[in-house]
Amino acid sequence: MEREEKNGGNNTYFIAAWPETPLFRNEVNKKAKALAKLGYLHIWLQENMTVKIEGPGAEKLIELLDE
C-alpha cells in the first residue's frame, strides 16, 4: 500500500495493488466496504499487464494520472 500526494497534498490517495486473480478478488471483496470507508483505491494488475483502478474517487485519480 502506498500514499500518493499530488499538487502540494491537495489530492491524497491510499492505494492497494493486487494481481487480478480469483483468490485476491475474493479476499478483497470480503473487506471492500471497510476499505471503501477508509478511502482506499484498488489497483488490479491484469494478466496482460494493464491496470484497473477501482474505489471511491477512482475517476479523479485516473484524470490526474492522465495529465
Side-chain angles (χ1 to χ4, degrees), residues 34-67:
L35 291 170
K37 285 182 183 179
L38 294 171
Y40 273 89
L41 295 175
H42 305 282
I43 295 180
W44 293 98
L45 179 62
Q46 307 300 299
E47 192 172 318
N48 66 1
M49 303 307 276
T50 61
V51 297
K52 282 195 290 188
I53 301 174
E54 298 176 351
E59 298 82 19
K60 187 175 177 185
L61 177 61
I62 292 166
E63 287 176 17
L64 283 172
L65 294 172
D66 285 341
E67 290 181 355

Side-chain angles (χ1 to χ4, degrees), residues 3-13 60 64:
R3 178 181 171 148
E4 177 69 27
E5 291 189 23
K6 296 228 180 210
N7 300 326
N10 293 331
N11 299 302
T12 301
Y13 297 94
K60 187 175 177 185
L64 283 172

Side-chain angles (χ1 to χ4, degrees), residues 18-28 44-47:
W18 316 97
E20 178 75 57
T21 66
L23 175 66
F24 279 97
R25 206 30 117 153
N26 186 42
E27 290 301 313
V28 170
W44 293 98
L45 179 62
Q46 307 300 299
E47 192 172 318

